[in-house]
Amino acid sequence: MKSIINILSPEVINQIAAGEVIQRPASVIKELIENSIDAKSQSIEIIIENAGKKLIKIIDDGSGMSEQDATICFQKHSTSKITSTEDIMQILTMGFRGEALSSIASIADVELQTKTKFEDIGTIIHIDNSNIKNIKKIASQTGTSISVKNLFFNIPARKNFLKSDQIEMKHLLEVFTQIAIAHHKVAFKIQHNGKIIYNLPPTNTKQRIIQIFGKRYNQKMLPVKEETSIVEISGFLGNPIESKKTRGEQFLYVNNRFIKSSYLNHAIKSSVQDIITKDQHPSYFIFMRIAPNLIDVNIHPNKIEVKFEDEKAIYQILKSACKRSIGMNNITPSLDFTTEESFEIPVYNTKSIPKEPKIKINTSFNPFEKNTRRAKENTENIHELFDHQIQNIIENVMNIDSQYAVFTIIQNNIRTLNIIDKKRSLQRIKYEEVIELLTNQKIALQKVITPLKININQIDIELIKENRNLLQEIGYEISEIKNNYIKVSSTPTKLQEISLEELFELFLEQLKNNNTKIKSSIIHETALKITRKIHVKQNNIDNQNSLTELIKKTLNCQNPFIGIDGTPCIINIEPNNFFD
Ligand code: ADP
Ligand code: MG
């Protein structure tokens, strides 16, 4: 029988390999800009035609290449960045796999012009289907210029797979922005079909973000800074008040490399979850510095996913850094009248009133604040201060109906009108009580005289074995594990509304569903479940006393403004701003 196995030609091998690195024009841009950055360029210019399908040209003022390097840089696995596998553990350059130029050369027409500062005259090389077509000497500036023309000209299937110019351009600018933000000291200019899109002089990180996203970001950003032995964190968190209903700008970097990580994204998101509504997404620009030997960037050809040695610790540090940033910036949540049906304000007829009244929401409202900033005080002091003032500040309490009441607060001689949603407030109070109880189990750990027996199915027994320590941290000290039951010698403080067995079930459920296995998030989810289970009764809260009590308790919460489902509990209006 005739043999049916062939060895693929180098050309085909290259084209297949190229598919991993180069999917679309955006991937070309990424690889080429990263090369320019690795070559220590100060200024990078990008010229694009037809969303990169026709032309991508990158001109840099970096180190350039000698004639010899220029002839081998298009070969497979040619790199100046590593020589041994150990080097990968210390990698600080963007590239190191030596695949980009060879991949690009196998699927497009490529022209390279380059000169180092040590030479007087540069080199120009034309590559066609991975082969050097011609090579000449040419007068050049120090640096490199690469043109990539007719992408996928030799792979029609991939060419057809490309999307409209508009969509390819979107991908391309996404990649451009990711890199431009991290490399703020580099000047970038990018033009498409003759039109300049961005012209960005060198600057600092914050100004680079403003250069790209506009001046409104000046107000919007809270600095984040944290230095620990395993990771240094810096950057900005978009002010949660301004959080977007669509996915915001979310930029996360490790050693200046943009990465995607839904796990670490969750850390940042959970740091703001209490102060944004459930359909909002926080913006952030966070930079992590980690010793290169503690991460592995070589798990993905595009190096956009990174493996961390201690991801769990980084998660916690990231979360607390963001929380601290919010605390220090005295943030209170977004109060969006227009999207909350239940809080709708009657719209005035603009024809009968010459100027439409503007309602400004005092987003920096803080009932605890006197002259000192909240961030400087610990919670106890805040509450002391608050209790002391409370009789004076709450006034004009008036019930509206079974759902709402209104009241005023005088604070710093400014009187604000507030609307409280009774049910949401009761839930918020309950939720925080449960969190408090479950979090401080070290103090509350209850030794039981006769061990409590809890029946468990066999599958869950494995889960319990795996998470014995975590369960103990939450309050359940397990003394015995059998096939279908366990015995616990200590339990958390009993909650009024739910038995210890039921609570244990809830924890197990969270352990099953929650892939983070982090104590605080398990407690958070469990507290939510418990609170939702409890039927809060707001109907009899309708007189002066009971309402004032509810308002006090709500304002005493860590976060008095947002209900557990992400909708407002209390919203406030500064009357001075009604007409301006
Ligand atoms: P890698 O970046 O992984 O090393 P590439 O295929 O992207 O692999 O590039 C191969 C080599 O070509 C690089 O290691 C570098 O030495 C050289 N090179 C590529 N682009 C440039 C540039 N813009 N300036 C100077 N040298 C470059
Ligand atoms: Mg490279």
Side-chain angles (χ1 to χ4, degrees), residues 371-404:
N371 292 319
T372 44
R373 281 178 73 78
R374 182 180 182 177
K376 295 208 182 89
E377 314 185 70
N378 63 35
T379 324
E380 267 168 46
N381 288 346
I382 292 165
H383 290 153
E384 232 167 66
L385 177 75
F386 185 68
D387 286 341
H388 181 67
Q389 294 185 350
I390 198 136
Q391 301 309 336
N392 303 326
I393 52 178
I394 299 175
E395 287 180 344
N396 302 311
V397 181
M398 200 175 92
N399 193 43
I400 302 285
D401 57 18
S402 63
Q403 191 176 2
Y404 303 122

Side-chain angles (χ1 to χ4, degrees), residues 70-81:
T71 55
I72 56 173
C73 70
F74 290 104
Q75 286 176 27
K76 227 172 159 359
H77 312 303
S78 64
T79 179
S80 55
K81 296 163 196 172

Side-chain angles (χ1 to χ4, degrees), residues 51 73 82 84 114 210 229 247 260 304 311 348 394 449 523:
C73 70
I82 58 168
S84 67
T114 187
I210 293 166
S229 54
R247 278 207 165 267
K260 288 201 169 136
I304 203 153
E311 197 169 39
Y348 291 79
I394 299 175
I449 304 164
I523 287 182

Side-chain angles (χ1 to χ4, degrees), residues 31-32 34-35 38 81 94-96 98-101 303:
E31 294 298 332
L32 296 184
E34 287 187 349
N35 278 349
D38 284 346
K81 296 163 196 172
M94 294 290 128
F96 59 84
E99 297 175 318
L101 291 186
K303 308 177 211 80

Side-chain angles (χ1 to χ4, degrees), residues 231-249:
V231 55
E232 268 176 38
I233 295 170
S234 65
F236 299 93
L237 196 61
N239 187 332
I241 290 171
E242 310 266 358
S243 281
K244 289 195 174 182
K245 290 273 144 76
T246 54
R247 278 207 165 267
E249 271 66 77

Side-chain angles (χ1 to χ4, degrees), residues 204-233:
N204 59 28
T205 307
K206 183 166 183 190
Q207 288 307 318
R208 176 56 56 88
I209 295 168
I210 293 166
Q211 284 174 347
I212 293 173
F213 294 107
K215 285 220 169 59
R216 65 205 163 89
Y217 270 77
N218 217 355
Q219 318 286 316
K220 279 182 74 169
M221 295 194 294
L222 320 174
V224 180
K225 194 141 192 64
E226 192 75 71
E227 284 180 23
T228 69
S229 54
I230 52 169
V231 55
E232 268 176 38
I233 295 170

Side-chain angles (χ1 to χ4, degrees), residues 215-371:
K215 285 220 169 59
R216 65 205 163 89
Y217 270 77
N218 217 355
Q219 318 286 316
K220 279 182 74 169
M221 295 194 294
L222 320 174
V224 180
K225 194 141 192 64
E226 192 75 71
E227 284 180 23
T228 69
S229 54
I230 52 169
V231 55
E232 268 176 38
I233 295 170
S234 65
F236 299 93
L237 196 61
N239 187 332
I241 290 171
E242 310 266 358
S243 281
K244 289 195 174 182
K245 290 273 144 76
T246 54
R247 278 207 165 267
E249 271 66 77
Q250 299 173 334
F251 292 82
L252 183 63
Y253 297 85
V254 178
N255 298 348
N256 266 358
R257 187 189 298 282
F258 177 85
I259 60 153
K260 288 201 169 136
S261 162
S262 51
Y263 181 63
L264 296 181
N265 178 60
H266 184 265
I268 302 170
K269 202 163 172 192
S270 67
S271 72
V272 296
Q273 73 190 2
D274 279 350
I275 49 171
I276 62 174
T277 54
K278 62 178 180 243
D279 54 347
Q280 288 179 315
H281 299 281
S283 298
Y284 52 80
F285 306 87
I286 302 276
F287 302 86
M288 301 186 286
R289 285 223 148 262
I290 301 176
N293 60 334
L294 299 182
I295 56 173
D296 184 358
V297 290
N298 196 25
I299 53 169
H300 192 280
N302 286 335
K303 308 177 211 80
I304 203 153
E305 281 162 37
V306 171
K307 224 159 63 192
F308 299 88
E309 196 172 287
D310 199 350
E311 197 169 39
K312 225 169 150 181
I314 293 170
Y315 180 102
Q316 288 295 10
I317 296 165
L318 197 53
K319 184 169 164 180
S320 79
C322 293
K323 280 208 153 174
R324 212 158 61 90
S325 160
I326 295 164
M328 282 173 36
N329 287 283
N330 205 7
I331 297 304
T332 51
S334 167
L335 309 170
D336 193 345
F337 278 102
T338 51
T339 57
E340 262 302 304
E341 248 177 50
S342 44
F343 282 116
E344 221 157 58
I345 298 288
V347 180
Y348 291 79
N349 183 345
T350 42
K351 280 186 194 138
S352 59
I353 298 176
K355 199 174 156 218
E356 194 180 344
K358 280 187 200 146
I359 296 166
K360 277 199 183 162
I361 311 301
N362 173 18
T363 45
S364 62
F365 167 78
N366 176 357
F368 307 128
E369 191 174 58
K370 210 175 174 189
N371 292 319

Side-chain angles (χ1 to χ4, degrees), residues 109-160:
D109 277 339
V110 178
E111 195 176 83
L112 165 79
Q113 184 171 336
T114 187
K115 183 185 95 64
T116 67
K117 65 177 176 191
F118 309 107
E119 294 161 314
D120 296 330
I121 190 140
T123 309
I124 183 163
I125 290 184
H126 187 193
I127 308 273
D128 186 15
N129 246 350
S130 295
N131 298 314
I132 296 179
K133 209 166 152 196
N134 57 53
I135 174 164
K136 277 189 250 162
K137 290 309 239 185
I138 190 170
S140 320
Q141 305 271 355
T142 297
T144 302
S145 142
I146 298 192
S147 306
V148 177
K149 287 183 195 160
N150 303 327
L151 191 65
F152 298 133
F153 76 98
N154 50 357
I155 317 180
R158 309 216 56 189
K159 196 171 176 172
N160 293 339

